[in-house]
Structures are given as structure tokens and as C-alpha cells.
Amino acid sequence: MNEHAKHSVVIVGYGGMGSYHAKLIKDNGRLKVAGTYDIDGQRAAASEKDGYPAYSSYDAVLNDPAVETILIATPNDVHKELAVRAFAAGKHVICEKPVTMSVEDFKEMTAAAERADRVLMVHQNRRWDEDFLIIKQMYEQKTVGDLFRIESRVHGANGIPGDWRHLEAYGGGMLLDWGVHLLDQLVFMVDSKITSVTGRLSFILGDEVDDGFEAVLQFENGLSALVEVGTTNFIPLPRWYVKGTEGTGVIEDWSMTGRTVTRNREAEHVEPKPIQAGVGLTKTMAPPSESATLTGVLPEPFRQPSSFYDNYVSVLEGTAEPLVKNDQVLRVLNLIEAVFRSGRTGETVKEFDLY
């Protein structure tokens, strides 16, 4: 299958993500990894061992007329330079996230792609995560009524991963690493203008970049969202917690453990009885009667029409629109800059500063 694939890809940066892309592309069948390039000799050797020829220089990649697409999987700080040179050489580009470290850099990158009439797609792969697609289904199908609160979290206790992700010059930190995914999911799911962003950055571990963050987003349609990434959480909170006008939903983790609890409108109203709460009594926090709610399973996830790579090939062939659109990517980068700004100043960023 792959030896007859029509579209050739060279992976620039054969580290963890680069080698992961190679495996996914091999399984795709419509693309073929024609080779790799990495400034690290050990990674070049690993590429050869895996069966992918290693180019001796980036110029060699750019000058090879057989190379149609360059997939950039390097540290974040060189994405723009590599992409702009690729477009000038007539190549299409798939770029790992975050596509750049600033809005202005991304605008330069997209302008270069437009001048060369080449495709630029950003690998926002978390749009295909099953947990997210379940929440997207709940949002669109109103499984627990109209959602008015979404809490999206990823928690770990291993600190900032890897080496360069600890360094600001390379675009390290968790807002650029995981925040870009969680914010992208919200932008993709919620078709409403964001009116304010309040951010808080964490530097508990003493790195020069954030080891976590919290961001509160307010949407024009009334929805509010809390996005949180933590690397010092030995007891993680749920991956998703959503509140709707008719109930609540939770997804605990990537194993899809979760449930919905909704109002039972057919049940006769029973006034809650006071319960002992600490040293006092409360009706407000008393559990509803057994008949007042219905516990259900999570719905089936919304299904994307195609995989990232299939969609990319279809875009190249002119038969589909990109599932990851560059105007969405730009919106996410604006949000990231807003979270950084709010986290550093302590002030909420309002709508007129977001667009």
C-alpha cells in the first residue's frame, strides 16, 4: 500500500513526535514517508534504522523535487523559519502545534503559504480524542440541556516533560504544550465569540516557563469555560465536568469512565429534607430524592468525517476543506497570548483585545 502512495512526506525533527507521525503515516496508506531530517545524529541514525532515509541537510530536503510535503516536528522556536523556507521551495507543510510562538509569526507563515499557493495545516490532533468528541456530542445534542459551564482539565504529577520544554527561548511551558490543545477544542466546538479571558500562570516548580495554568473564558452565548493544566497534581480532577440546564456530565479520564445525571421531569417534586453538614443543617446541599434524577451513560462520541491525514490528502487533491482551518489556529494563538497577558498583569482581557 505505502510503496504506491501518491503523496510524499519528509519529517523534519525525528524525535518523539516525528517518529510518532511516521507510524501514523505508515498506517494511512495515502501518504509515504520519503525520509527525515534531524540535526541530531542519533535521531538521524534512528530514522535509518526505522527504514527512513536521513537527509544530510535541510537544503537537501528543499532541493529534492520528489518531496511534496514537509512535516515539521521540531521545537517550537524554528517552526516559522522552516515553514517559510519550505513554501519558498514550493513545498506544502504540516506543522506540529503550537504552529508558532506568536500571532505575528503565524501571520508571516500564512502569508508565505498564500504567496506560494501551498497548503499549511496544523496538527491539532486532539480534535479526534474520544473524550472531547463525547463532550462535543453532548454540547450539540443537549444531552444534559444547554451547556452553560464546561471545565476541561489535564492533570499530572511529573512536572514539565522533556528538555527544551523547560526553556522559554524554545517555546516551552504548559500553556504552549497542552493549553493549545484544550483551547483549540473549545474554539472548534463552540461557535460563539469569546468576550473575556482571565488567566493565571503557575511557576511552582521554579522553571522559567509555566508548569501549569488556569484560564476562564466567557462566550457571548452565555457559556463559561474553565481550562486548566497542571503538572503538580497527585490527585487529578476529572478530565471533563459539564453543567447544563437539565443536568450534569462528567468524564473522569481517557478511559472514558463517566456518567450523566439529569433531572427527571416525570417525577413528583419532593421537598428535600435538611441534612447535617458540618456543624449546621442545609436543604440547599441535600441530595435530591431518588426519583428526582436519572443516571445515564455517556453518549456515543461525535465522529469526525475523516482522519487528519486523510483530510490533508483530500485538501491537497482539492476535494475537501481542511478540518483544521488556519483562522481557527489564529484564534487559538490570540487566546494563548491573552492568557499570558492576563496571567502576567492580573487583569482580564476583554473582547476588543482578542480579535
Side-chain angles (χ1 to χ4, degrees):
M1 291 267 311
N2 277 321
E3 60 268 29
H4 304 299
K6 183 177 179 183
H7 299 282
S8 63
V9 179
V10 167
I11 298 172
V12 177
Y14 199 69
M17 282 308 302
S19 57
Y20 182 67
H21 276 289
K23 294 183 178 71
L24 295 178
I25 290 172
K26 184 177 181 180
D27 293 338
N28 174 264
R30 300 175 70 190
L31 295 162
K32 178 180 180 179
V33 177
T36 72
Y37 170 65
D38 199 301
I39 61 174
D40 186 307
Q42 290 184 331
R43 290 178 176 174
S47 171
E48 297 274 8
K49 184 177 180 181
D50 292 340
Y52 307 117
Y55 285 78
S56 59
S57 68
Y58 192 48
D59 284 337
V61 177
L62 298 179
N63 293 331
D64 187 346
V67 178
E68 185 176 12
T69 293
I70 293 175
L71 192 157
I72 301 171
T74 63
N76 304 327
D77 61 311
V78 293
H79 286 182
K80 184 188 78 169
E81 175 193 351
L82 293 171
V84 169
R85 291 183 63 192
F87 295 135
K91 314 300 185 185
H92 302 288
V93 171
I94 296 172
C95 189
E96 257 304 323
K97 60 79 206 169
V99 60
T100 61
M101 292 161 56
S102 73
V103 168
E104 290 307 313
D105 280 355
F106 183 60
K107 288 179 178 179
E108 289 183 38
M109 189 186 292
T110 54
E114 289 169 7
R115 285 195 301 270
D117 192 25
R118 300 290 87 182
V119 172
L120 166 63
M121 276 186 65
V122 182
H123 187 239
Q124 290 289 172
N125 60 316
R126 296 292 175 177
R127 293 187 184 190
W128 281 262
D129 279 358
E130 187 173 353
D131 59 290
F132 163 66
L133 294 174
I134 289 172
I135 297 298
K136 189 173 189 297
Q137 182 83 334
M138 293 175 69
Y139 178 76
E140 294 181 359
Q141 299 298 320
K142 302 184 179 182
T143 306
V144 294
D146 290 304
L147 294 188
F148 59 86
R149 175 72 170 182
I150 295 175
E151 297 181 8
S152 170
R153 295 180 173 91
V154 288
H155 281 169
N158 299 311
I160 300 173
D163 45 14
W164 62 264
R165 286 188 176 86
H166 292 258
L167 303 174
E168 186 174 5
Y170 293 96
M174 298 312 296
L175 179 52
L176 286 171
D177 186 36
W178 260 101
V180 65
H181 282 310
L182 305 191
L183 293 170
D184 178 74
Q185 288 176 338
L186 285 175
V187 165
F188 181 54
M189 176 170 58
V190 182
D191 185 19
S192 178
K193 183 177 288 187
I194 296 169
T195 57
S196 70
V197 175
T198 305
R200 185 170 64 184
L201 305 171
S202 169
F203 295 91
I204 299 297
L205 299 176
D207 288 282
E208 63 182 33
V209 295
D210 63 290
D211 53 58
F213 73 93
E214 296 176 5
V216 177
L217 284 59
Q218 187 66 47
F219 290 85
E220 193 172 58
N221 66 2
L223 174 71
S224 68
L226 168 67
V227 176
E228 182 183 353
V229 173
T231 58
T232 56
N233 301 75
F234 288 85
I235 301 176
L237 290 172
R239 171 69 186 90
W240 295 94
Y241 181 84
V242 298
K243 296 167 66 176
T245 52
E246 295 297 319
T248 304
V250 64
I251 300 178
E252 298 291 347
D253 49 39
W254 284 296
S255 70
M256 303 307 119
T257 302
R259 69 189 188 282
T260 63
V261 178
T262 54
R263 189 194 321 273
N264 183 2
R265 291 205 169 271
E266 297 181 2
E268 181 180 349
H269 175 71
V270 177
E271 188 69 19
K273 296 179 180 180
I275 62 167
Q276 187 76 34
V279 296
L281 297 176
T282 180
K283 279 188 180 182
T284 306
M285 303 307 166
S289 65
E290 287 188 21
S291 62
T293 60
L294 300 170
T295 299
V297 298
L298 296 170
E300 287 295 312
F302 172 88
R303 294 297 179 190
Q304 293 276 44
S306 69
S307 72
F308 175 87
Y309 299 103
D310 276 335
N311 177 244
Y312 175 75
V313 172
S314 297
V315 171
L316 287 188
E317 296 176 351
T319 60
E321 290 293 314
L323 289 175
V324 181
K325 295 179 171 58
N326 287 332
D327 60 341
Q328 297 167 339
V329 174
L330 178 61
R331 191 178 180 202
V332 171
L333 287 174
N334 271 305
L335 285 175
I336 288 172
E337 290 194 355
V339 175
F340 274 129
R341 188 158 67 249
S342 177
R344 288 163 180 161
T345 65
E347 298 176 355
T348 295
V349 178
K350 299 294 186 179
E351 175 184 343
F352 57 84
D353 288 325
L354 285 170
Y355 297 97

